[in-house]
Amino acid sequence: RRSTVRIQVPPPNPGAGNVLQIEDIQAQRVSLRWQPFFSASVDLAALQYRILSLEVPEGVDAHGGQGGDALGWRSLDILSPDPSADATGLQQNLRYLVSPLLPAKRYRFAVECSYVGLLADLAAASVSRLEAPQIVPSRELRLAVLPGLS
């Protein structure tokens, strides 16, 4: 006789109105900002954040549609803030500086939040994600010749 045990862990909660903000866009870097997620389980307090980037080719919309090959997100880093660092109960924004970027490229960014210390399959099934609503446009210098100027 065979038994199946199903274990489910609710994913971390991003909280109402939590948005991944892109700030300080420069030629080779941008800054990301978001509010901390909340654990959905009292036994799992330690959270980690995976920072993801996606190069978006010209002619492709913000979500990878409209022609072109399938696009793949790239993992840039994993942040593991100290869960006891916020003893006051006030939620401080988390920040991440993405650098270096290629000025000629367009980018999208996302943050995935998961629990620290879970088995890989269980952790992968309990992930929450925030995606920035906009594409970071190309930031390369372009020279133009203006007619009628000598």
Side-chain angles (χ1 to χ4, degrees):
R1 187 173 164 172
R2 217 170 172 182
S3 297
T4 301
V5 175
R6 187 172 295 212
I7 300 172
Q8 292 182 323
V9 176
N13 183 353
N18 197 355
V19 176
L20 180 58
Q21 299 289 327
I22 298 176
E23 301 174 334
D24 192 27
I25 298 173
Q26 297 188 20
Q28 295 185 351
R29 69 177 194 221
V30 298
S31 180
L32 305 178
R33 180 175 57 88
W34 68 97
Q35 296 172 358
F37 286 52
F38 303 98
S39 175
S41 173
V42 288
D43 297 326
L44 298 169
L47 300 175
Q48 65 183 11
Y49 300 89
R50 182 178 305 272
I51 312 301
L52 303 167
S53 74
L54 174 70
E55 286 185 16
V56 182
E58 292 293 331
V60 175
D61 71 14
H63 297 286
Q66 300 299 325
D69 297 329
L71 304 174
W73 289 88
R74 185 171 65 117
S75 180
L76 300 177
D77 203 354
I78 296 176
L79 302 179
S80 297
D82 181 2
S84 64
D86 187 22
T88 64
L90 299 173
Q91 295 297 313
Q92 299 294 321
N93 286 329
L94 297 171
R95 295 179 185 275
Y96 185 82
L97 181 66
V98 181
S99 177
L101 297 175
L102 298 173
K105 302 285 186 178
R106 299 181 336 147
Y107 293 93
R108 289 218 48 207
F109 294 99
V111 172
E112 289 183 344
C113 182
S114 61
Y115 298 108
V116 174
L118 291 180
L119 297 173
D121 290 342
L122 191 54
S126 59
V127 172
S128 291
R129 181 181 177 113
L130 284 180
E131 286 188 25
Q134 75 273 23
I135 293 177
V136 174
S138 164
R139 291 136 344 269
E140 68 181 336
L141 293 175
R142 296 182 186 207
L143 299 177
V145 176
L146 300 176
L149 296 177
S150 344

